[in-house]
Amino acid sequence: MNEKRNFLKELNEQQKSAVLNTEGPTLVVAGAGSGKTKVLTSKLAYIVEQKKAWPNQILCVTFTNKAAKEMRDRVNKILLGKTTPLSWLGTFHAISVKFLRRHAEAVGLKSNFTILDTDDQKKLIRNISKVENIDTKKISPQFILALIDQWKNKGLLPEEVKLSRKHIFENQILNVYKIYQGKIRDLNSCDFGDLILYCVKLFEKNPDIRKVYSNNFKYILVDEYQDTNFIQNKWLQLIVNENQNICCVGDDDQSIYSWRGAEIKNFLSFDKVYPNCKIFRLEQNYRSTKNILDAASFLISHNKDRLGKKLWSDSKKGDLVRLNCYKNGKDEAQGIGDIIEESIKKNKSLNDIAILVRAIYQTREFEERFLKIGINYRIIGGIKFYERAEIKDAICYLRIINQKFDDLAFERIINTPRRGLGESTVKQLHDFSSKNKICLEDSAHKLLQLNQFKPKVRSTIKYLMDLIIKWRSDLKKKKHYDLLKIVLDESGYSAMLKNQKDLENESRIENLKELLRAMHDYDNLQGFLEHVALATSIDQEWEDEKVNIMTMHAAKGLEFDNVFLPGWEEGLFPHQKSLEEKGDFALEEERRLAYVGITRAKKNAYISFATQRIWHGDWMDSLPSRFVNELPEEGVEKNEELVKDVSNDFDFNQDNLLENNEEYRSPGWARLKKKLLK
């Protein structure tokens, strides 16, 4: 017994107090790197080890399957390898499925119901939209599903929705919601939003069933409580027992997912819902140096809606947090690349380095720089810039304008955006091309002359062919980057993106804006297309180690020795669109995002901003983020413009990379040159 309980000796006093307090409602405010998972798993193990409850009487809820597996493994390790059947440990959705399989009839389903994936949902929405004469170019299936998901996260079935008129298409979408919900019921199916919503309805309408579970679950443990939405919190409140033995662990300062429906008020109002609750603060950080923690704590203290805590560490003060000012985005990428080169010289691992951006389009300049100086990298939670679908689409348009024999480009753009040209039309073009040994574009022209297309197909293809001819003419008179704007508008691609209102689509639009910015670095279309081809073909598997590039949202829960936080400028961070839509609420969430970014660093944090950025093709002056002024004076080293005017020394031109023998400042050039000459 004593041997088993050694795990308590591994806890600090704050952690131990939180673990030993098993009775009544408990909120554990766990700062970044303070051992949140350790406390939760130790608490679960302690309850089992002390026989306060059987394993099947403990409900433990996580947000990811990975977190659930990690907790299960840790508990079994604490209990000396004894396999503990924690049958009610899992995600909200996984546990909800177990409830519904047992009580499917009570919510109008059969126990063998299926769960629709996203593709199934989109297909069903498209079919309904077609029947209801809804133009999917104006109201995309993604947007419809996003709004339906919002309603479900608020606990609203179709008949319970009250229109807010926030969106002009709400009335139409509500009608789709009614039909959609009826159809999936007819299919004996539900979607992910239904899983939790139906459980809530099940417990509300069947108090006897709810009581069975609330009596069974002697203890409820919840991870990442700050990320819960309305319906998840309601779900928890319905099944907590009369003793209110619920323990929620999280960090209000790391609540950064409101765009996914998370409601920080669940966390902040815990003591109002459970007046007798005990609050424990885990403030000792085991990850970062004192200077990093002080900078993060000082910054987040500017938020008003928070419970409050002060992180501290036994570790050394460490290096100062570096605040670097650069002339422009290109210099910022170069400056960060140079610092990483110095790390390579010191035999530091690239795996221990991360660049955390606010928006995914910011990765482009870093990718370009690293490709050119031979630093290997990976994009976490995303796709490399020139491999993103919208970038490939745009470049394929440019490729076919550049030369008509590019069949691969032609095939990609012929029905992008959708023009009603199916596989049969593409096959017809291929067959004719193969038979006559001509390219697909010439095949299209020839088949038009021969009147071989059906009337609707003929008019569509003729319109596209006329556009391509026009664009080639435009190229002779306009800059290549101005041409891309015209192509995106006249092809219907811009309209397609504007009409798709999902969050991912906003990123696609930003990526295309970044592509336009990238094109300004090249004198002509040919040079740019050569650069793209080289950038996508360079072997990126030179070594196993890679610099990690990701958004700050994707970085939550991760840690690295060295963290770079570029682009701390007004409009970019905090993000202007967020501020316009949600005001002070968004500002506080953006500040929490900054806090998350800084606290990913274990040893070194580098914050940077540029005084100029290219915006819509023009150089614009940038203002430092207000978060820069919210950093403490002590513990932060503020550097003025670090990079001199080096535009003649290094530019973003792959021709120079391959043909110019001048020595570059970066030692990575020699490494890359050697690789390319093999």
Side-chain angles (χ1 to χ4, degrees), residues 44 47-59 82 84-88 216-219:
L44 202 162
I47 291 170
V48 172
E49 188 263 341
Q50 289 293 302
K51 297 183 179 176
K52 290 179 172 291
W54 295 108
N56 67 355
Q57 294 176 315
I58 305 169
L59 173 65
K82 181 182 176 182
T84 306
L86 298 165
S87 53
W88 293 101
N216 178 72
F217 297 131
K218 291 187 176 182
Y219 297 95

Side-chain angles (χ1 to χ4, degrees), residues 398 402 475 478-481 518-531 653 655:
L398 295 174
N402 186 57
L475 183 58
K478 299 181 182 294
K479 292 288 187 182
H480 52 294
Y481 40 80
M519 293 178 71
H520 281 73
D521 290 321
Y522 300 88
D523 295 331
N524 53 56
L525 180 59
Q526 182 71 37
F528 174 69
L529 291 176
E530 286 177 3
H531 161 71
N653 191 313
D655 291 338

Side-chain angles (χ1 to χ4, degrees), residues 66-239:
K66 182 183 176 183
K69 183 180 183 303
E70 184 183 354
M71 282 194 65
R72 194 181 303 275
D73 292 344
R74 285 198 187 191
V75 169
N76 289 333
K77 187 177 179 181
I78 289 173
L79 298 175
L80 301 179
K82 181 182 176 182
T83 303
T84 306
L86 298 165
S87 53
W88 293 101
L89 190 162
T91 64
F92 278 100
H93 292 105
I95 293 169
S96 292
V97 169
K98 294 180 76 171
F99 288 147
L100 292 177
R101 292 289 183 207
R102 295 181 176 188
H103 309 285
E105 287 78 10
V107 293
L109 294 170
K110 296 176 182 175
S111 60
N112 63 343
F113 65 84
T114 56
I115 303 168
L116 300 183
D117 62 21
T118 304
D119 288 341
D120 292 331
Q121 290 177 272
K122 287 180 182 177
K123 187 177 180 180
L124 186 53
I125 292 292
R126 275 195 204 96
N127 292 340
I128 296 169
S129 298
K130 189 175 181 179
V131 173
E132 296 299 309
N133 294 315
I134 293 172
D135 187 351
T136 53
K137 291 181 179 179
K138 290 183 178 179
I139 316 175
S140 70
Q142 293 96 320
F143 181 60
I144 293 172
L145 282 171
L147 192 53
I148 289 174
D149 196 52
Q150 284 181 29
W151 284 327
K152 289 185 177 182
N153 287 341
K154 295 288 185 183
L156 303 172
L157 289 168
E159 61 271 17
E160 298 169 321
V161 174
K162 293 181 180 178
L163 297 178
S164 65
R165 305 298 178 184
K166 188 177 179 181
H167 305 289
I168 59 173
F169 302 119
E170 263 194 352
N171 194 46
Q172 286 175 279
I173 295 173
L174 178 57
N175 184 50
V176 173
Y177 183 17
K178 291 174 182 174
I179 299 168
Y180 169 81
Q181 212 61 17
K183 286 203 178 280
I184 60 176
R185 277 185 175 273
D186 292 342
L187 294 169
N188 190 37
S189 301
C190 58
D191 59 26
F192 273 88
D194 289 328
L195 294 176
I196 301 174
L197 176 59
Y198 282 172
C199 280
V200 167
K201 300 302 180 185
L202 170 72
F203 295 142
E204 286 181 334
K205 295 177 180 179
N206 301 275
D208 53 331
I209 296 176
R210 182 191 65 79
K211 196 170 181 179
V212 167
Y213 290 105
S214 65
N215 287 341
N216 178 72
F217 297 131
K218 291 187 176 182
Y219 297 95
I220 297 176
L221 309 179
V222 187
D223 192 18
E224 302 287 5
Y225 184 58
Q226 79 281 345
D227 293 334
T228 55
N229 59 30
F230 171 87
I231 198 67
Q232 289 165 338
N233 199 44
K234 184 76 172 176
W235 185 95
L236 288 167
Q237 290 175 2
L238 284 167
I239 56 176

Side-chain angles (χ1 to χ4, degrees), residues 386 395 399 527-538 654:
Y386 288 113
I395 287 171
R399 280 167 50 185
F528 174 69
L529 291 176
E530 286 177 3
H531 161 71
V532 173
L534 288 165
T536 54
S537 65
I538 289 177
Q654 280 282 8

Side-chain angles (χ1 to χ4, degrees), residues 480-490 494 516 616-617:
H480 52 294
Y481 40 80
D482 290 329
L483 175 66
L484 180 58
K485 295 177 187 175
I486 294 169
V487 169
L488 292 174
D489 286 341
E490 293 183 350
S494 293
L516 285 165
H616 297 302

Side-chain angles (χ1 to χ4, degrees), residues 230 238 268 430 553 569 610:
F230 171 87
L238 284 167
L268 298 176
H430 271 292
H553 283 101
E569 298 139 33

